Amino acid sequence: MTARQSLFVGGSWVEPDGGHHEVIDPAGEQTVGWAPEASRDQVLAACAAAREAFGPWSRTTPEERAAVLGRAAGIIAGRLNEYAELARAETGATLGTARAMQVGVAAARFRRYARVEPAEWPVPPQINAAGPMGRAGVMGALAVRQPVGVVTCITSYNNPWANPAGKVAPALAMGNTVVVKPAPQDPLSVYRMAEALQEAGAPPGVVNVVSGSHTEVGEAAVASPDVGMVSFTGSTAVGRRIAEVCGRDMKRQLMELGGKGAALVFDDADLGSAVAGIGTTFSFYSGQICTAPTRVLAQRGIHDRLVEQLAAYARRLKVGDPREPDTVVGPVISAAHRDRVESYVELGRKEGAVVVAGGERPDLPTGFYVAPTLLADCRSDMRVAREEIFGPVVVVIPFDDEEEGIALADDTDYGLIDYVWSGDVARAFRVARRLRAGGVGINTVGRNMEAPFGGFKQSGVGRDVGSYALHAYSEVQSIVWPG
C-alpha cells in the first residue's frame, strides 16, 4: 500500500484529523502517495509550537544555527537520487531537472545560509555626529537585525524543493521558526525536507509542516496570532487575499507573485541566443514558472525569422515521459491545469492569434501533457498576452522602435523579470533601466542567486535571495546610548 504521510508538528509526526488526499504522478497518472489533511486546530497547534520554540532558537548563536543548516544540506545531497525521484513523480519534472534544479538547488540554498558572512548580520554601526541639542547631545547609535518571529511559508507546486528551501533556510538562519504549508499537488517532498532538518538537529517546533487541499489550512496558517510574517509564492489573486489578512494584523510579508515576462528582441540581436533563451519557456518546468519570457516583443526587422526559428525550436522538443533521458518537456501538474492552458490556446485563436507551433494535445497514453505552443500575430490587448498562462505557451508581438518596445513591455499588470536581446550592450542596459520589472536579463535568461529577486506592480512585495533574504526575514532594531 502506498504510504500515508503524517503532519510534522512540534517535532512529532502527527496523524491528520482530516484524513489524506491522493498525490498523482502527472506523467503516469498513478498514485505517488497520500498527503495529510490538517484541521484548522492542527495548523494553529503548529503555529503555537513554532512560537514556543522561537525564544530558545532565536537565542542560539549564528554558528549553532548554521551547523543545523549545513548538516541538513549534507543529508539532502546524500539522498539526491531518492529525493529527485520523488520530486519527479510529484511534479512531472524531467529527472535531470528534479536532480539539478529542485533537490540540488535546495541543498545549495541550505549550504549558502550555513555560510553567512558576519557582515551580513548587522547593519553597519552608525554614530550621530550631533544630536538635536548640539554636540553635547551626541548619542551613540547601533542598528542590528532581529528575527521576526514565526514565519508561515506557503510554497508553490512548480518546485517543492528549491522554493521551500529558499524560504526556510534564510528564515532559520536569522533565528526565526517556520510553519510550512506546501502546495496540495506535491507536498510529500516538503515532508522529506522536514525529516532532513529534524535529523540535522533542528529542535522541536523550529520547523513544522502542515498540508491540505482546502483553503482553511492556508488561511489558518496566515491568520494565526502566533505568526509574525508570511512568505508566499503563488498567484497574484491568492497573494492579494493573504495581504489583506496580513494588513489587519500588521504582519510582515514577502510575496513572489505572478509574472508575464517580456523578451524584447531587437533587430541586431543574436537570434540563436534569443531563441534558446525564450525556448526555456517550453521546457523548464513545462512553462510553469513565473520568470519565463512568455511575451516575445520582436522588432519588425527580425520578426519573421524569429517566429520561424522559435517554431522550429518548439517542434524539435521531445514531449513525453520525464524518466526518459531524452525527454525535454514533461507534463503540467494536473488534468485541470492542462485544461486551463489549452483553454488559453483556444482563446488566443478566437482573439485572432495564429498558432504557429503546437496547439494540439500530444498523443500519449497517459499524462497531462501540453505541446510547446507558439502564438504569433498577437496584440498587447489580447488576454493571452496579458494573463499568466503558466504553461509552455509563448506569444509574439511585433514592434517598430525602442520606444514602442519599452511601452509594450510595460503594458502589463506584472513586473517580475523582463529580458532584452541586443548586440548593442549600451542600448540593452539603457532599455533595462527603463523597464518596470524587478529584474532584467540582458542576452540571457540566467539568474545570479545573490542578486535581489522580486517584482514590481502585481508581481510581488519585497526581495529575497542572497543577503536580501536575510534582510527580508528580519527586523531592524536601533540601540542608542549616551555619547
Side-chain angles (χ1 to χ4, degrees), residues 73-97:
I75 292 167
I76 293 169
R79 298 172 184 166
L80 176 65
N81 290 333
E82 173 192 344
Y83 288 164
E85 177 54 35
L86 174 60
R88 181 213 58 76
E90 283 195 289
T91 67
T94 63
L95 203 48
T97 295

Side-chain angles (χ1 to χ4, degrees), residues 108-122:
R109 286 181 166 171
F110 277 104
R111 280 194 300 270
R112 189 263 180 258
Y113 293 105
R115 296 195 300 267
V116 172
E117 296 296 327
E120 292 179 310
W121 290 90

Side-chain angles (χ1 to χ4, degrees), residues 128-148:
N128 263 346
M133 296 174 288
R135 298 196 64 81
V138 170
M139 302 288 285
L142 177 66
V144 298
R145 294 201 175 275
Q146 297 280 15
V148 176

Side-chain angles (χ1 to χ4, degrees), residues 414-436:
Y414 298 107
L416 189 56
I417 295 187
D418 286 342
Y419 305 87
V420 180
W421 269 274
S422 173
D424 183 341
V425 175
R427 173 167 68 175
F429 273 88
R430 179 176 68 246
V431 170
R433 291 291 299 272
R434 292 185 59 190
L435 295 174
R436 300 292 296 164

Side-chain angles (χ1 to χ4, degrees), residues 226-357:
D226 290 315
V227 170
M229 176 179 173
V230 176
S231 177
F232 171 71
T233 299
S235 72
T236 296
V238 174
R240 286 196 194 100
R241 295 200 293 272
I242 291 172
E244 290 172 0
V245 176
C246 289
R248 289 197 290 269
D249 293 323
M250 294 299 172
K251 296 180 181 181
R252 288 179 64 93
Q253 304 166 47
L254 180 59
M255 299 278 187
E256 183 204 334
L257 307 178
K260 192 71 176 178
L264 283 85
V265 185
F266 287 94
D267 285 347
D268 60 353
D270 179 336
L271 287 192
S273 172
V275 168
I278 295 163
T280 61
T281 302
F282 301 130
S283 57
F284 195 45
Y285 301 136
S286 302
Q288 299 167 113
I289 184 166
C290 53
T291 59
T294 54
R295 279 188 307 144
V296 176
L297 308 178
Q299 198 164 17
R300 290 192 188 275
I302 49 87
H303 174 273
D304 292 350
R305 283 184 293 145
L306 182 60
V307 168
E308 180 182 345
Q309 291 183 31
L310 278 171
Y313 184 98
R315 296 187 193 105
R316 287 196 300 269
L317 300 176
K318 180 188 173 183
V319 180
D321 188 338
R323 292 171 296 186
E324 298 295 331
D326 58 342
T327 292
V328 180
V329 182
V332 296
I333 193 67
S334 65
H337 189 56
R338 175 188 60 191
D339 293 346
R340 178 180 181 275
V341 175
E342 289 178 340
S343 73
Y344 267 106
V345 175
E346 183 58 30
L347 175 63
R349 284 192 176 101
K350 291 177 180 177
E351 290 181 313
V354 175
V355 179
V356 182

Side-chain angles (χ1 to χ4, degrees), residues 386-463:
R386 303 198 67 81
E387 299 176 14
E388 187 175 36
I389 299 173
F390 221 59
V393 180
V394 171
V395 304
V396 184
I397 301 170
F399 71 94
D400 289 310
D401 56 27
E402 185 176 308
E403 289 298 320
E404 184 186 11
I406 293 169
L408 286 171
D410 287 340
D411 184 21
T412 175
D413 294 331
Y414 298 107
L416 189 56
I417 295 187
D418 286 342
Y419 305 87
V420 180
W421 269 274
S422 173
D424 183 341
V425 175
R427 173 167 68 175
F429 273 88
R430 179 176 68 246
V431 170
R433 291 291 299 272
R434 292 185 59 190
L435 295 174
R436 300 292 296 164
V440 181
I442 293 178
N443 295 326
T444 183
V445 293
R447 281 178 57 195
N448 181 317
M449 298 310 293
E450 291 296 314
F453 179 70
F456 289 11
K457 298 187 281 189
Q458 299 293 318
S459 285
V461 176
R463 297 292 183 272

